[in-house]
């Protein structure tokens, strides 16, 4: 934690003001102290401790296996690296869908044990009661509509969502319900840009898109994807800003060669 009182911390109110003034919101995932510290220093607005940790940290096929305690471990590490960003923590599969009491307990556990600033959960209409209860307890909630990876086995694919009119209408309704329930922002994942634009215009809370086009009030990407650590993941919505996988491969190959050839360590690198 910083003792520098000059640092302007990002709050849910800041995000609301950014929507009003038209300043786009930048969000990225992080799962550990070191990366969170770099993203905070670079000026990112929001860090999401995503349940994508299940994929990129633990190597699972889906987000379903990660537990609440594992999410809490990642979130604790991220919060230690942050001075200024808003930290949002995903509630994992199975920690909130049972009933609103379970959802509230999970949200409170995250807030008590991590020092994070908000939670995110997936779903529309079905989650309204839980969201109201969590918001009423004083915990800010971010919603998540469209491609909701915790429901992958219900849908069977990671294809674009809400392409059909009926599904699009339901998503628009869900977005309004989540806003009414008290969400401070919504993630819109992998839906047509036109639909995301309509939803964004219909809400007074900000939308954060991933594969949802440029009209959203902000954008989010998984850190490994945008840094090029995850070269086999190439959905159309992804822009990569580094080719870290090949750079790390080169660095580690050079290290191996230096060890094998006894080039490392040299006389300046010993005592
Ligand atoms: N590394 C990573 N990045 C993510 O964006 C991410 C995760 N993990 N884990 C949780 C969810 C899952 N997400 C996903 C998963 C797949 C696609 C996707 O577009 N997949 C295919 C196309 C669809 C298909 O053919 O099934 C692709 O083109 O890669 C998008 C978002 C988003 N989240
Ligand atoms: C892709 C983002 C929105 C997410 O929920 C995650 O990383 O878990
Ligand atoms: Mg997630």
């Amino acid at each position: 934690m910083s003792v520098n009182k000059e640092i302007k911390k990002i709050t849910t109110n800041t995000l609301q003001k950014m929507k009003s003034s038209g300043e786009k919101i930048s969000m990225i995932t992080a799962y550990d102290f070191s990366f969170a510290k770099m993203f905070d220093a670079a000026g990112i607005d929001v860090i999401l401790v995503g349940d994508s940790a299940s994929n990129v940290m633990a190597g699972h096929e889906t987000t379903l296996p990660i537990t609440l305690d594992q999410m809490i471990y990642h979130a604790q590490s991220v919060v230690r690296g942050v001075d200024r960003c808003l930290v949002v923590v995903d509630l994992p599969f199975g920690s909130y869908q049972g009933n609103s009491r379970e959802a509230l307990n999970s949200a409170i556990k995250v807030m008590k044990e991590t020092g994070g600033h908000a939670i995110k959960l997936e779903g529309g209409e079905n989650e309204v009661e839980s969201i109201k209860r969590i918001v009423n307890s004083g915990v800010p909630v971010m919603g998540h509509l469209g491609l909701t990876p915790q429901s992958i086995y219900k849908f069977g694919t990671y294809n674009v969502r809400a392409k059909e009119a009926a599904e699009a209408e339901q998503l628009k309704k869900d977005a309004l319900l989540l806003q009414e329930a008290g969400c401070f922002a919504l993630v819109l994942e992998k839906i047509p840009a036109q639909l995301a634009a309509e939803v964004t215009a219909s809400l007074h809370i900000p939308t954060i898109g991933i594969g949802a086009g440029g009209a959203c009030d902000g954008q989010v990407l998984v850190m490994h994807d945008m840094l090029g650590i995850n070269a086999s993941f190439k959905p159309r919505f992804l822009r990569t800003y580094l080719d870290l996988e090949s750079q790390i491969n080169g660095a580690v190959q050079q290290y191996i060669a230096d060890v094998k050839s006894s080039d490392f360590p040299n006389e300046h690198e010993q005592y």
Side-chain angles (χ1 to χ4, degrees):
M1 279 297 180
S2 173
V3 290
N4 183 354
K5 299 260 185 348
E6 301 293 302
I7 289 175
K8 257 257 190 304
K9 289 183 190 292
I10 310 270
T11 68
T12 58
N13 293 325
T14 317
L15 302 189
Q16 185 62 63
K17 286 191 193 120
M18 288 169 81
K19 172 158 183 145
S20 305
S21 70
E23 181 183 348
K24 297 278 188 173
I25 298 162
S26 61
M27 173 159 133
I28 190 168
T29 68
Y31 315 95
D32 75 342
F33 169 79
S34 302
F35 279 99
K37 196 165 182 278
M38 288 191 274
F39 300 156
D40 188 78
I44 209 86
D45 298 312
V46 185
I47 290 183
L48 173 66
V49 185
D51 60 348
S52 50
S54 182
N55 305 94
V56 297
M57 292 282 112
H60 291 296
E61 194 77 39
T62 71
T63 58
L64 275 66
I66 198 162
T67 66
L68 187 60
D69 284 326
Q70 288 166 341
M71 287 301 299
I72 284 171
Y73 168 75
H74 288 297
Q76 288 169 333
S77 309
V78 164
V79 167
R80 286 183 209 117
V82 165
D83 283 329
R84 188 190 44 78
C85 298
L86 186 79
V87 177
V88 181
V89 183
D90 261 350
L91 290 188
F93 178 67
S95 72
Y96 62 94
Q97 293 92 342
N99 57 60
S100 65
R101 178 75 233 180
E102 178 186 65
L104 179 63
N105 286 346
S106 298
I108 287 176
K109 187 170 158 75
V110 165
M111 299 304 284
K112 272 198 186 291
E113 296 183 18
T114 72
H117 310 125
I119 62 96
K120 175 164 82 60
L121 55 79
E122 297 180 6
E125 214 168 357
N126 286 340
E127 301 307 329
V128 161
E129 189 192 329
S130 296
I131 291 167
K132 282 184 178 163
R133 211 160 162 183
I134 297 169
V135 171
N136 283 339
S137 82
V139 177
V141 176
M142 182 179 277
H144 183 159
L145 294 173
L147 198 176
T148 48
Q150 292 177 16
S151 313
I152 181 59
Y153 292 114
K154 178 173 161 191
F155 293 101
T157 76
Y158 289 103
N159 292 341
V160 179
R161 295 296 198 268
K163 276 172 94 170
E164 306 301 327
E167 223 195 320
E169 283 314 305
Q170 184 62 51
L171 192 141
K172 287 186 201 174
K173 269 190 224 157
D174 283 344
L176 287 168
L177 285 172
L178 293 186
Q179 171 174 269
E180 263 174 55
C183 285
F184 70 91
L186 294 188
V187 165
L188 299 178
E189 179 163 354
K190 222 175 162 184
I191 62 170
Q194 178 58 41
L195 174 60
E198 286 170 30
V199 170
T200 300
S202 78
L203 299 178
H204 59 75
I205 58 171
T207 60
I208 318 263
I210 170 167
C216 294
D217 300 303
Q219 298 293 326
V220 58
L221 285 174
V222 168
M223 57 161 283
H224 292 68
D225 302 343
M226 65 84 73
L227 294 174
I229 297 176
N230 203 10
S232 63
F233 186 73
K234 282 192 164 60
R236 190 220 288 226
F237 66 74
L238 177 63
R239 187 179 292 182
T240 52
Y241 290 84
L242 273 181
D243 187 7
L244 253 191
E245 188 165 323
S246 63
Q247 287 184 270
I248 289 172
N249 187 262
V252 174
Q253 284 186 355
Q254 187 60 55
Y255 169 64
I256 294 166
D258 289 351
V259 170
K260 299 282 181 188
S261 68
S262 299
D263 180 82
F264 175 77
N266 65 27
E267 67 272 23
H268 305 296
E269 293 163 327
Q270 64 189 13
Y271 300 95

